[in-house]
Coordinates of all heavy atoms in Angstrom, one line a residue:
M1 N 0.9 -1.2 0.0 CA 0.0 0.0 0.0 C 0.9 1.2 0.0 O 1.8 1.4 0.9 CB -0.9 0.0 1.3 CG -1.7 1.3 1.4 SD -2.9 1.3 2.7 CE -1.9 0.7 4.1
V2 N 0.7 2.2 -0.9 CA 1.4 3.4 -0.9 C 0.8 4.4 0.0 O -0.4 4.6 -0.1 CB 1.4 3.9 -2.4 CG1 2.1 5.3 -2.5 CG2 2.1 3.0 -3.3
T3 N 1.5 5.0 0.9 CA 0.9 5.8 1.9 C 1.2 7.3 1.8 O 0.4 8.1 2.3 CB 1.3 5.3 3.3 OG1 2.7 5.2 3.4 CG2 0.7 3.9 3.6
Q4 N 2.3 7.7 1.3 CA 2.6 9.1 1.3 C 3.8 9.4 0.4 O 4.7 8.5 0.2 CB 2.8 9.8 2.6 CG 4.2 9.4 3.2 CD 4.3 10.0 4.6 OE1 3.7 9.6 5.5 NE2 5.2 10.9 4.8
G5 N 3.9 10.7 -0.2 CA 5.0 11.0 -1.0 C 6.2 11.3 -0.1 O 6.1 11.7 1.0
R6 N 7.4 11.1 -0.6 CA 8.6 11.4 0.2 C 9.7 12.3 -0.5 O 10.7 12.5 0.0 CB 9.3 10.1 0.4 CG 8.6 9.2 1.4 CD 9.0 9.4 2.8 NE 10.5 9.3 2.9 CZ 11.1 9.1 4.0 NH1 10.4 8.8 5.1 NH2 12.4 9.1 4.0
G7 N 9.4 12.9 -1.7 CA 10.3 13.7 -2.4 C 10.8 13.1 -3.6 O 10.2 12.2 -4.1
R8 N 11.9 13.6 -4.1 CA 12.5 13.1 -5.4 C 13.9 12.6 -5.1 O 14.6 13.2 -4.3 CB 12.5 14.1 -6.4 CG 11.1 14.5 -6.9 CD 11.1 15.2 -8.1 NE 9.7 15.6 -8.6 CZ 9.1 14.7 -9.4 NH1 9.6 13.7 -9.9 NH2 7.8 15.1 -9.7
S9 N 14.3 11.6 -5.9 CA 15.6 11.1 -5.9 C 16.6 12.2 -6.4 O 16.3 12.9 -7.3 CB 15.7 9.8 -6.8 OG 17.0 9.5 -7.0
D10 N 17.8 12.1 -5.8 CA 18.9 13.1 -6.2 C 19.6 12.7 -7.5 O 20.0 13.5 -8.2 CB 19.9 13.3 -5.1 CG 19.3 13.9 -3.9 OD1 18.3 14.7 -4.0 OD2 19.7 13.6 -2.8
R11 N 19.8 11.3 -7.7 CA 20.7 10.9 -8.8 C 20.1 9.9 -9.8 O 20.4 9.9 -10.9 CB 21.9 10.3 -8.2 CG 23.2 11.0 -8.5 CD 24.4 10.4 -7.9 NE 24.5 9.0 -7.9 CZ 25.4 8.3 -7.3 NH1 26.3 8.9 -6.5 NH2 25.4 7.0 -7.3
A12 N 19.1 9.1 -9.3 CA 18.6 8.2 -10.2 C 17.7 8.9 -11.3 O 17.7 10.0 -11.4 CB 17.7 7.2 -9.4
A13 N 16.8 8.1 -12.0 CA 16.0 8.7 -12.9 C 15.2 9.8 -12.3 O 14.3 9.5 -11.5 CB 15.2 7.6 -13.6
M14 N 15.4 11.0 -12.7 CA 14.7 12.2 -12.1 C 13.3 12.2 -12.3 O 12.5 12.9 -11.7 CB 15.4 13.4 -12.5 CG 16.9 13.6 -12.0 SD 16.9 13.5 -10.2 CE 16.1 15.0 -9.7
C15 N 12.8 11.4 -13.3 CA 11.3 11.5 -13.5 C 10.6 10.6 -12.6 O 9.3 10.6 -12.6 CB 11.1 11.0 -15.0 SG 11.6 9.3 -15.3
E16 N 11.2 9.9 -11.7 CA 10.6 9.0 -10.8 C 10.2 9.7 -9.5 O 10.9 10.6 -9.0 CB 11.5 7.8 -10.4 CG 12.1 7.1 -11.6 CD 11.0 6.4 -12.4 OE1 10.1 5.8 -11.8 OE2 11.1 6.6 -13.7
E17 N 9.1 9.3 -8.9 CA 8.7 9.9 -7.6 C 9.1 8.8 -6.5 O 9.0 7.6 -6.8 CB 7.2 10.1 -7.5 CG 6.8 11.2 -8.4 CD 5.3 11.6 -8.3 OE1 4.6 10.9 -7.6 OE2 5.0 12.6 -8.8
V18 N 9.4 9.3 -5.4 CA 9.7 8.4 -4.2 C 8.6 8.5 -3.2 O 8.2 9.5 -2.8 CB 11.1 8.9 -3.6 CG1 11.4 8.0 -2.3 CG2 12.2 8.8 -4.5
W19 N 8.1 7.3 -2.9 CA 6.9 7.1 -2.0 C 7.3 6.3 -0.9 O 8.1 5.4 -0.9 CB 5.8 6.5 -2.7 CG 5.2 7.4 -3.9 CD1 5.7 7.4 -5.2 CD2 4.2 8.3 -3.8 NE1 5.0 8.3 -5.9 CE2 4.0 8.9 -5.1 CE3 3.3 8.7 -2.8 CZ2 3.0 9.8 -5.4 CZ3 2.3 9.7 -3.1 CH2 2.2 10.2 -4.3
L20 N 6.6 6.5 0.2 CA 6.7 5.6 1.4 C 5.7 4.5 1.2 O 4.4 4.8 1.1 CB 6.5 6.3 2.7 CG 6.8 5.6 4.0 CD1 8.3 5.2 4.0 CD2 6.4 6.4 5.1
A21 N 6.1 3.2 1.1 CA 5.2 2.1 0.8 C 5.3 1.0 1.9 O 6.4 0.6 2.3 CB 5.5 1.6 -0.5
A22 N 4.2 0.5 2.3 CA 4.1 -0.7 3.2 C 4.3 -1.9 2.4 O 3.4 -2.3 1.5 CB 2.8 -0.7 4.0
L23 N 5.3 -2.7 2.5 CA 5.6 -3.9 1.7 C 5.2 -5.2 2.4 O 5.4 -6.3 1.8 CB 7.1 -3.9 1.3 CG 7.5 -2.7 0.5 CD1 9.0 -2.8 0.2 CD2 6.8 -2.5 -0.8
D24 N 4.7 -5.1 3.6 CA 4.2 -6.3 4.3 C 2.7 -6.6 3.9 O 2.0 -5.7 3.6 CB 4.3 -6.2 5.8 CG 5.7 -6.1 6.3 OD1 6.6 -6.8 5.7 OD2 6.0 -5.3 7.2
P25 N 2.3 -7.9 3.8 CA 3.0 -9.0 4.1 C 4.0 -9.5 2.9 O 3.7 -9.0 1.8 CB 1.9 -10.1 4.3 CG 0.8 -9.7 3.4 CD 0.9 -8.1 3.5
T26 N 4.9 -10.3 3.2 CA 5.9 -10.8 2.3 C 5.8 -12.3 2.2 O 5.3 -13.0 3.1 CB 7.3 -10.3 2.6 OG1 7.6 -10.8 3.9 CG2 7.3 -8.8 2.6
V27 N 6.5 -12.8 1.1 CA 6.6 -14.2 0.9 C 8.0 -14.5 0.6 O 8.7 -13.8 -0.2 CB 5.7 -14.8 -0.2 CG1 6.0 -16.3 -0.5 CG2 4.3 -14.5 0.1
G28 N 8.7 -15.6 1.2 CA 10.0 -15.9 1.0 C 11.0 -14.8 1.3 O 11.0 -14.3 2.3
S29 N 11.9 -14.5 0.3 CA 13.0 -13.5 0.5 C 12.6 -12.1 0.0 O 13.5 -11.3 -0.2 CB 14.3 -14.0 -0.2 OG 14.0 -14.1 -1.5
E30 N 11.3 -11.8 -0.1 CA 10.9 -10.5 -0.4 C 11.3 -9.5 0.6 O 11.2 -9.7 1.8 CB 9.4 -10.3 -0.7 CG 8.9 -11.1 -1.9 CD 7.4 -11.1 -2.0 OE1 6.7 -10.9 -1.0 OE2 6.9 -11.2 -3.1
I31 N 11.7 -8.2 0.2 CA 12.0 -7.2 1.1 C 10.8 -6.8 1.9 O 9.7 -6.8 1.4 CB 12.7 -6.0 0.4 CG1 13.4 -5.1 1.3 CG2 11.7 -5.3 -0.4 CD1 14.4 -4.2 0.6
Q32 N 11.0 -6.5 3.2 CA 9.9 -6.2 4.1 C 9.8 -4.9 4.6 O 10.7 -4.0 4.3 CB 10.1 -7.2 5.3 CG 10.1 -8.7 5.0 CD 10.3 -9.4 6.3 OE1 10.1 -9.0 7.4 NE2 10.7 -10.7 6.1
K33 N 8.8 -4.5 5.4 CA 8.5 -3.3 6.2 C 8.2 -2.1 5.3 O 8.1 -2.3 4.1 CB 9.7 -3.0 7.2 CG 10.9 -2.5 6.6 CD 12.0 -2.3 7.7 CE 13.3 -1.8 7.1 NZ 14.2 -1.5 8.1
T34 N 7.9 -1.0 5.9 CA 7.6 0.2 5.2 C 8.9 0.9 4.9 O 9.8 1.1 5.7 CB 6.7 1.1 6.1 OG1 5.5 0.4 6.4 CG2 6.4 2.4 5.4
R35 N 9.1 1.2 3.6 CA 10.3 1.8 3.1 C 10.0 2.7 1.8 O 9.0 2.6 1.2 CB 11.4 0.8 2.8 CG 11.0 -0.1 1.7 CD 12.1 -1.2 1.5 NE 12.4 -2.0 2.6 CZ 13.6 -2.0 3.3 NH1 14.5 -1.2 2.9 NH2 13.8 -2.8 4.3
P36 N 11.0 3.6 1.5 CA 10.8 4.4 0.3 C 10.8 3.5 -0.9 O 11.7 2.6 -0.9 CB 12.0 5.5 0.4 CG 12.9 5.0 1.4 CD 12.2 3.9 2.3
C37 N 10.0 3.8 -1.9 CA 10.1 3.1 -3.2 C 10.0 4.2 -4.3 O 9.3 5.2 -4.2 CB 8.9 2.2 -3.3 SG 8.9 0.8 -2.2
L38 N 10.6 3.8 -5.4 CA 10.6 4.6 -6.6 C 9.4 4.1 -7.5 O 9.2 2.9 -7.6 CB 11.8 4.5 -7.5 CG 13.0 5.3 -7.1 CD1 14.2 5.0 -8.1 CD2 12.7 6.8 -7.1
S39 N 8.6 5.0 -8.1 CA 7.5 4.7 -8.9 C 7.3 5.8 -10.0 O 7.2 7.0 -9.6 CB 6.3 4.5 -8.1 OG 5.2 4.0 -8.9
P40 N 7.1 5.4 -11.2 CA 6.9 6.4 -12.2 C 5.6 7.1 -12.1 O 4.6 6.5 -12.1 CB 7.0 5.8 -13.6 CG 6.9 4.3 -13.2 CD 7.2 4.1 -11.8
P41 N 5.6 8.5 -12.1 CA 4.3 9.2 -11.9 C 3.3 8.9 -13.1 O 2.1 9.1 -12.9 CB 4.7 10.7 -11.9 CG 6.1 10.7 -12.4 CD 6.7 9.4 -12.2
E42 N 3.8 8.6 -14.2 CA 2.9 8.4 -15.3 C 1.9 7.2 -15.0 O 0.8 7.1 -15.5 CB 3.7 8.1 -16.6 CG 4.6 9.1 -17.2 CD 5.9 9.2 -16.4 OE1 6.3 8.4 -15.6 OE2 6.6 10.2 -16.5
M43 N 2.4 6.3 -14.3 CA 1.6 5.1 -13.9 C 0.7 5.5 -12.7 O -0.5 5.1 -12.6 CB 2.5 3.9 -13.5 CG 3.2 3.3 -14.6 SD 4.3 2.0 -14.2 CE 3.1 0.7 -13.8
N44 N 1.2 6.2 -11.7 CA 0.5 6.6 -10.5 C -0.8 7.4 -10.8 O -1.8 7.2 -10.2 CB 1.3 7.3 -9.5 CG 2.5 6.6 -9.1 OD1 2.7 5.4 -9.3 ND2 3.5 7.3 -8.5
D45 N -0.7 8.2 -11.9 CA -1.8 9.1 -12.1 C -2.9 8.4 -12.9 O -4.1 8.9 -12.9 CB -1.4 10.3 -13.0 CG -0.4 11.2 -12.3 OD1 -0.3 11.1 -11.0 OD2 0.4 11.9 -13.0
R46 N -2.7 7.2 -13.5 CA -3.7 6.6 -14.3 C -4.2 5.2 -13.9 O -5.2 4.8 -14.3 CB -3.1 6.5 -15.7 CG -2.9 7.9 -16.4 CD -2.2 7.7 -17.7 NE -2.0 9.0 -18.4 CZ -1.0 9.8 -18.1 NH1 -0.1 9.5 -17.2 NH2 -0.9 11.0 -18.7
L47 N -3.5 4.6 -13.0 CA -3.7 3.2 -12.7 C -4.1 3.0 -11.2 O -3.6 3.8 -10.3 CB -2.6 2.2 -12.9 CG -2.1 2.3 -14.5 CD1 -0.8 1.5 -14.6 CD2 -3.2 1.8 -15.3
R48 N -4.9 2.0 -10.9 CA -5.2 1.7 -9.5 C -4.1 1.0 -8.8 O -4.0 1.0 -7.5 CB -6.5 0.9 -9.4 CG -7.7 1.8 -9.9 CD -9.0 1.1 -9.9 NE -9.4 0.9 -8.5 CZ -10.5 0.3 -8.1 NH1 -11.4 -0.1 -9.1 NH2 -10.7 0.1 -6.9
T49 N -3.3 0.2 -9.6 CA -2.1 -0.3 -9.0 C -0.9 0.3 -9.7 O -1.0 0.7 -10.8 CB -2.1 -1.9 -9.3 OG1 -2.2 -2.2 -10.7 CG2 -3.3 -2.6 -8.6
I50 N 0.2 0.3 -9.0 CA 1.4 0.9 -9.5 C 2.5 0.0 -9.3 O 2.5 -1.0 -8.5 CB 1.8 2.2 -8.8 CG1 2.0 2.0 -7.3 CG2 0.7 3.3 -9.1 CD1 2.6 3.2 -6.6
M51 N 3.6 0.1 -10.1 CA 4.8 -0.7 -10.0 C 5.8 0.2 -9.1 O 5.9 1.3 -9.4 CB 5.5 -1.0 -11.3 CG 4.7 -2.0 -12.1 SD 4.5 -3.6 -11.2 CE 6.1 -4.2 -11.0
A52 N 6.3 -0.4 -8.1 CA 7.3 0.3 -7.2 C 8.6 -0.5 -6.9 O 8.4 -1.7 -6.8 CB 6.6 0.6 -5.9
A53 N 9.7 0.1 -7.0 CA 11.0 -0.5 -6.7 C 11.5 0.1 -5.4 O 11.7 1.2 -5.2 CB 11.9 -0.3 -7.8
P54 N 11.6 -0.8 -4.4 CA 12.1 -0.3 -3.1 C 13.5 0.2 -3.1 O 14.4 -0.3 -3.9 CB 12.0 -1.5 -2.1 CG 11.9 -2.7 -3.1 CD 11.4 -2.2 -4.4
L55 N 13.8 1.1 -2.2 CA 15.2 1.6 -1.9 C 15.6 1.1 -0.6 O 14.8 0.9 0.3 CB 15.2 3.2 -1.8 CG 15.0 3.9 -3.1 CD1 13.6 4.3 -3.3 CD2 15.9 5.1 -3.2
T56 N 17.0 0.8 -0.5 CA 17.5 0.4 0.7 C 18.9 0.9 0.9 O 19.6 1.2 -0.1 CB 17.5 -1.2 0.8 OG1 18.0 -1.6 2.1 CG2 18.4 -1.8 -0.2
K57 N 19.4 1.0 2.1 CA 20.8 1.4 2.3 C 21.6 0.2 2.8 O 22.8 0.3 3.0 CB 20.9 2.6 3.2 CG 20.3 2.3 4.6 CD 20.4 3.6 5.4 CE 19.7 3.2 6.8 NZ 19.9 4.1 7.7
G58 N 21.0 -0.9 3.1 CA 21.7 -2.1 3.6 C 21.6 -3.3 2.8 O 21.1 -4.3 3.3
S59 N 22.1 -3.3 1.6 CA 22.0 -4.5 0.8 C 23.3 -4.6 -0.1 O 24.1 -3.7 -0.2 CB 20.8 -4.4 -0.1 OG 20.6 -5.6 -0.8
R60 N 23.4 -5.8 -0.7 CA 24.6 -6.0 -1.6 C 24.4 -5.6 -3.0 O 23.3 -5.7 -3.5 CB 25.0 -7.5 -1.6 CG 25.5 -8.0 -0.3 CD 25.7 -9.5 -0.3 NE 24.3 -9.9 0.2 CZ 23.8 -11.1 0.1 NH1 24.6 -12.1 -0.5 NH2 22.7 -11.4 0.5
P61 N 25.4 -5.0 -3.7 CA 25.2 -4.6 -5.1 C 25.0 -5.9 -6.0 O 25.5 -7.0 -5.7 CB 26.6 -4.0 -5.4 CG 27.2 -3.6 -4.1 CD 26.7 -4.6 -3.1
A62 N 24.3 -5.7 -7.0 CA 24.0 -6.7 -8.1 C 23.7 -6.0 -9.3 O 23.4 -4.8 -9.4 CB 22.9 -7.6 -7.6
P63 N 23.7 -6.7 -10.5 CA 23.5 -6.0 -11.8 C 22.1 -5.4 -11.8 O 21.8 -4.4 -12.5 CB 23.5 -7.2 -12.7 CG 24.5 -8.2 -12.1 CD 24.2 -8.1 -10.6
S64 N 21.1 -5.9 -11.1 CA 19.7 -5.4 -11.1 C 19.5 -4.4 -10.0 O 18.3 -4.0 -9.8 CB 18.7 -6.6 -10.9 OG 18.9 -7.1 -9.7
R65 N 20.6 -3.9 -9.3 CA 20.4 -2.9 -8.2 C 21.2 -1.7 -8.6 O 22.4 -1.7 -8.9 CB 20.9 -3.5 -6.9 CG 20.1 -4.7 -6.6 CD 20.5 -5.4 -5.3 NE 19.6 -6.4 -4.9 CZ 19.6 -7.1 -3.8 NH1 20.6 -6.9 -3.0 NH2 18.7 -8.0 -3.6
I66 N 20.6 -0.5 -8.6 CA 21.1 0.7 -9.1 C 21.5 1.6 -7.9 O 20.7 1.9 -7.0 CB 20.1 1.5 -9.9 CG1 19.7 0.6 -11.1 CG2 20.6 2.9 -10.3 CD1 18.5 1.1 -11.8
A67 N 22.8 2.0 -7.8 CA 23.3 2.9 -6.8 C 22.6 4.2 -6.9 O 22.4 4.8 -8.1 CB 24.8 3.0 -6.9
V68 N 22.2 4.8 -5.8 CA 21.5 6.1 -5.8 C 21.9 6.9 -4.5 O 22.3 6.3 -3.5 CB 20.0 5.9 -5.8 CG1 19.5 5.2 -4.6 CG2 19.2 7.2 -6.0
L69 N 21.8 8.2 -4.6 CA 22.0 9.1 -3.4 C 20.6 9.7 -3.3 O 20.1 10.4 -4.1 CB 23.0 10.1 -3.7 CG 23.3 11.1 -2.5 CD1 23.9 10.3 -1.4 CD2 24.2 12.1 -3.0
F70 N 19.9 9.5 -2.1 CA 18.6 10.0 -1.8 C 18.6 10.6 -0.4 O 19.0 10.0 0.5 CB 17.6 9.0 -1.9 CG 16.2 9.3 -1.6 CD1 15.5 10.2 -2.4 CD2 15.5 9.0 -0.3 CE1 14.2 10.7 -2.1 CE2 14.3 9.5 -0.1 CZ 13.6 10.3 -0.9
Q71 N 18.3 11.9 -0.4 CA 18.3 12.6 0.9 C 19.6 12.5 1.6 O 19.7 12.2 2.8 CB 17.1 12.2 1.8 CG 15.8 12.5 1.2 CD 14.6 12.1 2.1 OE1 14.8 11.4 3.1 NE2 13.5 12.7 1.8
D72 N 20.7 12.7 0.8 CA 22.1 12.6 1.3 C 22.5 11.3 1.8 O 23.5 11.2 2.6 CB 22.4 13.7 2.4 CG 22.2 15.2 1.7 OD1 22.6 15.3 0.5 OD2 21.7 16.0 2.4
R73 N 21.8 10.3 1.5 CA 22.2 8.9 1.9 C 22.5 8.0 0.7 O 21.7 8.0 -0.3 CB 21.1 8.3 2.8 CG 20.9 8.9 4.0 CD 19.9 8.1 4.8 NE 19.7 8.5 6.2 CZ 18.7 8.2 6.9 NH1 17.7 7.3 6.4 NH2 18.6 8.6 8.1
A74 N 23.6 7.3 0.7 CA 23.8 6.3 -0.4 C 23.0 5.0 -0.2 O 22.8 4.6 0.9 CB 25.4 5.9 -0.4
G75 N 22.5 4.5 -1.3 CA 21.6 3.3 -1.2 C 21.5 2.6 -2.5 O 22.3 3.0 -3.5
L76 N 20.6 1.7 -2.7 CA 20.3 1.0 -3.9 C 18.9 1.0 -4.1 O 18.0 0.9 -3.3 CB 20.8 -0.5 -3.7 CG 22.3 -0.7 -3.5 CD1 22.6 -2.1 -3.1 CD2 23.1 -0.3 -4.7
I77 N 18.6 1.0 -5.5 CA 17.2 0.8 -6.0 C 17.1 -0.7 -6.3 O 18.0 -1.2 -7.1 CB 16.8 1.6 -7.2 CG1 17.1 3.1 -6.9 CG2 15.4 1.3 -7.7 CD1 17.0 3.9 -8.2
L78 N 16.3 -1.4 -5.7 CA 16.2 -2.9 -5.9 C 15.3 -3.3 -6.9 O 14.1 -3.6 -6.7 CB 15.9 -3.6 -4.5 CG 16.7 -3.2 -3.3 CD1 16.2 -3.9 -2.1 CD2 18.2 -3.6 -3.6
L79 N 15.7 -3.3 -8.2 CA 14.8 -3.6 -9.3 C 14.4 -5.0 -9.2 O 13.3 -5.4 -9.7 CB 15.5 -3.3 -10.6 CG 15.8 -1.8 -10.9 CD1 16.5 -1.7 -12.2 CD2 14.6 -1.0 -10.8
D80 N 15.1 -5.9 -8.6 CA 14.8 -7.3 -8.4 C 13.7 -7.5 -7.4 O 13.2 -8.6 -7.2 CB 16.0 -8.1 -8.1 CG 16.8 -7.7 -6.9 OD1 17.0 -6.5 -6.8 OD2 17.0 -8.5 -6.0
Q81 N 13.3 -6.5 -6.7 CA 12.3 -6.6 -5.6 C 11.0 -5.7 -6.0 O 10.3 -5.4 -5.1 CB 12.9 -6.1 -4.3 CG 13.9 -7.0 -3.8 CD 13.3 -8.3 -3.2 OE1 12.3 -8.4 -2.7 NE2 14.1 -9.4 -3.2
Q82 N 10.8 -5.4 -7.2 CA 9.7 -4.6 -7.6 C 8.4 -5.2 -7.2 O 8.3 -6.5 -7.1 CB 9.6 -4.4 -9.1 CG 10.7 -3.5 -9.6 CD 10.5 -3.3 -11.1 OE1 9.6 -2.6 -11.6 NE2 11.4 -3.9 -11.9
R83 N 7.4 -4.4 -6.9 CA 6.1 -4.9 -6.5 C 4.9 -4.1 -7.2 O 5.1 -3.0 -7.5 CB 5.8 -4.6 -5.0 CG 6.9 -5.2 -4.1 CD 6.6 -6.7 -3.7 NE 7.6 -7.2 -2.9 CZ 7.7 -7.0 -1.6 NH1 6.7 -6.4 -0.9 NH2 8.7 -7.5 -0.8
A84 N 3.8 -4.8 -7.4 CA 2.6 -4.1 -7.7 C 1.9 -3.7 -6.5 O 1.7 -4.6 -5.6 CB 1.7 -4.9 -8.6
L85 N 1.6 -2.5 -6.2 CA 1.0 -1.9 -5.1 C -0.3 -1.3 -5.3 O -0.5 -0.7 -6.4 CB 1.9 -1.0 -4.3 CG 3.3 -1.5 -3.9 CD1 4.2 -0.4 -3.4 CD2 3.2 -2.6 -2.9
I86 N -1.2 -1.2 -4.3 CA -2.5 -0.5 -4.5 C -2.2 1.0 -4.4 O -1.5 1.4 -3.4 CB -3.5 -0.9 -3.4 CG1 -3.8 -2.4 -3.6 CG2 -4.7 -0.1 -3.5 CD1 -4.6 -3.0 -2.4
N87 N -2.7 1.8 -5.3 CA -2.5 3.2 -5.2 C -3.7 3.9 -4.5 O -4.8 3.9 -5.0 CB -2.5 3.8 -6.7 CG -2.2 5.3 -6.7 OD1 -2.1 5.9 -5.7 ND2 -2.0 5.7 -7.9
H88 N -3.4 4.4 -3.3 CA -4.5 5.0 -2.5 C -4.5 6.5 -2.7 O -5.1 7.2 -2.0 CB -4.3 4.7 -1.0 CG -4.6 3.3 -0.7 ND1 -5.9 2.8 -0.6 CD2 -3.9 2.2 -0.5 CE1 -5.9 1.5 -0.3 NE2 -4.7 1.2 -0.2
G89 N -3.6 7.0 -3.7 CA -3.5 8.5 -3.9 C -4.6 8.9 -4.7 O -5.4 9.6 -5.0

């Protein structure tokens, strides 16, 4: 569930919006808890569900993970952990 906006990413794709999203419940090794996620505004404005890629500062680099600086913190966009979420906006 997407719950509120959080600002914009400093270095990643600048057309993306960063939202605080509740990612629980999870299955297997899916990333958990409420955390910032990137989601394209073109989808958010038109669809009831959106695709969101979570951000984290405590994970290992991989080809599907993009380094980013957000709110002066280094982290990763986890493209391998994308989710379809309900858009309550």
Side-chain angles (χ1 to χ4, degrees):
M1 171 174 52
V2 177
T3 54
Q4 76 182 69
R6 293 269 308 202
R8 291 194 178 269
S9 168
D10 297 328
R11 246 180 36 194
M14 292 303 289
C15 62
E16 307 297 314
E17 290 185 353
V18 177
W19 295 86
L20 190 61
L23 300 176
D24 292 322
T26 61
V27 176
S29 61
E30 292 178 333
I31 197 163
Q32 301 177 19
K33 69 183 182 177
T34 299
R35 63 178 63 245
C37 291
L38 281 180
S39 184
E42 298 81 11
M43 293 177 73
N44 299 346
D45 296 341
R46 294 173 177 85
L47 302 174
R48 294 178 68 177
T49 58
I50 61 170
M51 290 302 297
L55 286 98
T56 187
K57 59 182 179 171
S59 190
R60 288 172 273 164
S64 62
R65 297 178 175 187
I66 300 168
V68 66
L69 182 64
F70 178 68
Q71 295 182 342
D72 297 323
R73 291 183 174 169
L76 297 169
I77 303 168
L78 305 180
L79 297 177
D80 56 309
Q81 293 284 332
Q82 288 185 72
R83 306 274 177 86
L85 303 172
I86 297 170
N87 184 356
H88 289 283

